[in-house]
Amino acid sequence: MDGELFVATSEEIKRGSTTDIYYLRTREILAKKGIAETKVAMDIHAYSFPQGYEWAVFAGVEEAVKLLEGLKVDVYAMDEGSIFNLYEPVLRVEGPYSEFGIYETPILGLLRHSSSIATRAARCKKAAGDRMVISFGVRAIHPAIAPMADRAAFIGGCDAVSGVSGAKLIGEEPVGTIPHELIIIIGNQVEAWKAFDEVMPPNVLRIALCDTWFDERVEALMAAQALGEKLYGVRFDTPKSRRGDIRRIVEEARWTLNLHGYRHVKIVLSAGLDEYAIARLRDVVDVFGVGTSIMFPPSIDLAFDIVEVEGKPISKRGKMPGRKQVYRCFDCMERAVKPLEEPPPTCPRCGKVMEGMLKPLLKQGKLVRELPKPKEIRNYVLRQLEKLPDFA
């Protein structure tokens, strides 16, 4: 442990201290039986998706690579940010089982957690269309993993994050407004908004929180009158206990702002949002701040299974034995999974030869291709999202 927080250090994870005990016992048994060098191939794939999910976003690759680097293994993986379907291998490890077997638990933890967050973020961004989505959720998770979570949310499609450490990790500026505490301490909404405007540098967007004491419509107009052209937007963070019909609240505020000549002021909405709420509101809301639903998403259940032992295809029941390649046509998003030795298939829709997605990543523990930056991964996700159907 790091001494103050109940979190494992990188060194402890690398030593296998965060694995399940049976992997340590397996390594010991293989060693004492003289078969520790048995070579295997293992696939990571999703065997179930949350209800309503038809795809997921592969994330967490960079951390998994750091765990496997230096080991006597070969790793083949989809690019981070790839959208994948059920039963498609997203990563394959080849090498002596005792070399990497104890890392099954932490590798799955790294990939499952990041992929789950990135997938929910992608669903929110897909639902939002050209509207902005900001990750507001670090208060919902353990602070030790805040950078990882914000990174996953960003590469999944969020336009920005509010967390300071997460923004630093992805090389972006953190985005946020003001809390209710500032307004309550100052004791007056207008004075709080003006103080924010006076103290913050020009590059910080002037977004006024407008639901502390009065009706949202009333406070939105007050903010517009107080800051005028400098006001970028008004934010509503109305709790569920007082929300009523949030669409009607937004429409009233928009109507009132427009009526008084403040058409430039954008509507920012947060609190209790998910992809379905965003899809229903994106025609009246300009910016969505999404917290808990991204940071506490349904799990993308990834599994790590042996598919080959000493060159022989083999697996437990319910799994497909043998090494595989996942193919995709990037024009129409058609996909196929084939045994590794088979030639690439032709897309049934457009007739093009499909592209293999599992590419060499580590050779004998050494990185053989460059890992992309978070913004590059996010752009890759967005290009794929454009080709997927909208939410109803």
Side-chain angles (χ1 to χ4, degrees):
M1 302 293 176
D2 81 343
E4 296 184 10
L5 299 178
F6 301 143
V7 293
T9 64
S10 297
E11 292 76 18
E12 288 174 317
I13 297 172
K14 192 73 173 179
R15 288 200 305 266
S17 298
T18 61
T19 195
D20 292 297
I21 186 60
Y22 45 76
Y23 294 118
L24 295 173
R25 291 170 177 166
T26 298
R27 185 174 65 175
E28 181 182 357
I29 293 168
L30 293 177
K32 291 186 175 179
K33 290 295 183 178
I35 50 176
E37 293 302 308
T38 300
K39 293 181 179 179
V40 302
M42 294 187 68
D43 281 349
I44 293 179
H45 65 275
Y47 57 87
S48 68
F49 279 164
Q51 185 174 0
Y53 281 40
E54 296 182 353
W55 47 264
V57 177
F58 186 39
V61 176
E62 191 166 333
E63 286 187 294
V65 164
K66 290 175 182 176
L67 193 55
L68 291 169
E69 260 188 306
L71 304 181
K72 294 183 293 183
V73 297
D74 296 338
V75 177
Y76 302 83
M78 291 185 181
D79 291 328
E80 186 158 18
S82 293
I83 288 176
F84 66 94
N85 293 346
L86 284 177
Y87 312 118
E88 293 179 346
V90 293
L91 184 146
R92 184 175 70 249
V93 182
E94 300 177 9
Y97 180 79
S98 292
E99 186 75 7
F100 68 94
I102 64 169
Y103 296 123
E104 176 168 341
T105 299
I107 287 172
L108 287 177
L110 292 170
L111 297 177
R112 285 179 65 164
H113 203 168
S114 285
S115 295
S116 300
I117 293 173
T119 300
R120 195 62 176 270
R123 289 171 63 87
C124 288
K125 183 58 181 174
K126 179 64 179 177
D130 62 354
R131 306 301 190 176
M132 181 179 289
V133 178
I134 303 173
S135 172
F136 275 176
V138 289
R139 66 179 56 198
I141 58 175
H142 195 293
I145 63 169
M148 174 281 295
D150 265 343
R151 178 186 182 275
F154 179 74
I155 66 175
C158 284
D159 297 274
V161 303
S162 64
V164 176
S165 61
K168 182 179 180 181
L169 177 65
I170 63 177
E172 301 286 323
E173 288 295 320
V175 173
T177 57
I178 59 174
H180 291 98
E181 286 82 353
L182 178 65
I183 295 172
I184 293 170
I185 290 170
I186 290 179
N188 178 284
Q189 302 102 307
V190 174
E191 293 305 313
W193 299 327
K194 288 183 176 179
F196 176 59
D197 178 46
E198 291 167 4
V199 174
M200 289 297 104
N203 64 305
V204 175
L205 295 176
R206 271 51 180 169
I207 301 175
L209 183 59
C210 294
D211 60 6
T212 305
W213 283 308
F214 303 156
D215 181 84
E216 290 85 355
R217 179 183 69 184
V218 172
E219 291 202 8
L221 182 57
M222 289 169 60
Q225 291 170 337
L227 298 185
E229 290 298 320
K230 291 187 290 184
L231 184 65
Y232 174 84
V234 292
R235 176 184 164 212
F236 304 147
D237 193 46
T238 308
K240 288 184 179 180
S241 60
R242 298 182 61 84
R243 186 171 299 168
D245 185 343
I246 191 62
R247 183 183 181 88
R248 187 61 177 166
I249 291 171
V250 171
E251 288 175 336
E252 288 181 8
R254 180 76 275 161
W255 177 278
T256 302
L257 289 168
N258 290 352
L259 194 64
H260 289 82
Y262 298 110
R263 292 181 178 273
H264 72 281
V265 177
K266 299 185 182 299
I267 303 293
V268 182
L269 186 64
S270 59
L273 296 171
D274 60 16
E275 62 266 47
Y276 300 108
I278 290 172
R280 292 191 298 268
L281 293 166
R282 70 180 179 186
D283 61 320
V284 294
V285 174
D286 301 291
V287 181
F288 295 96
V290 187
T292 304
S293 69
I294 287 180
M295 293 302 176
F296 261 92
S299 178
I300 303 300
D301 290 333
L302 295 173
F304 206 177
D305 294 295
I306 289 178
V307 295
E308 187 177 283
V309 175
E310 293 291 349
K312 177 185 176 182
I314 189 171
S315 71
K316 68 180 183 181
R317 60 180 183 174
K319 308 294 180 177
M320 304 296 285
R323 292 181 297 167
K324 310 165 191 70
Q325 179 58 278
V326 182
Y327 295 96
R328 182 198 284 178
C329 173
F330 282 90
D331 289 338
C332 57
M333 298 295 282
E334 284 286 333
R335 319 172 71 90
V337 180
K338 298 289 183 181
L340 188 60
E341 64 273 10
E342 289 192 7
T346 299
C347 176
R349 293 176 62 183
C350 66
K352 293 183 179 180
V353 176
M354 300 173 79
E355 181 179 331
M357 297 183 69
L358 293 173
K359 307 170 187 176
L361 186 57
L362 294 178
K363 283 291 187 180
Q364 288 301 292
K366 293 183 178 180
L367 193 65
V368 293
R369 61 184 165 106
E370 188 175 347
L371 297 173
K373 301 296 184 184
K375 183 169 284 188
E376 296 174 62
I377 301 171
R378 178 179 180 272
N379 289 338
Y380 173 46
V381 171
L382 294 180
R383 289 195 301 271
Q384 296 169 92
L385 289 180
E386 290 177 355
K387 300 177 185 295
L388 297 178
D390 289 333
F391 289 104

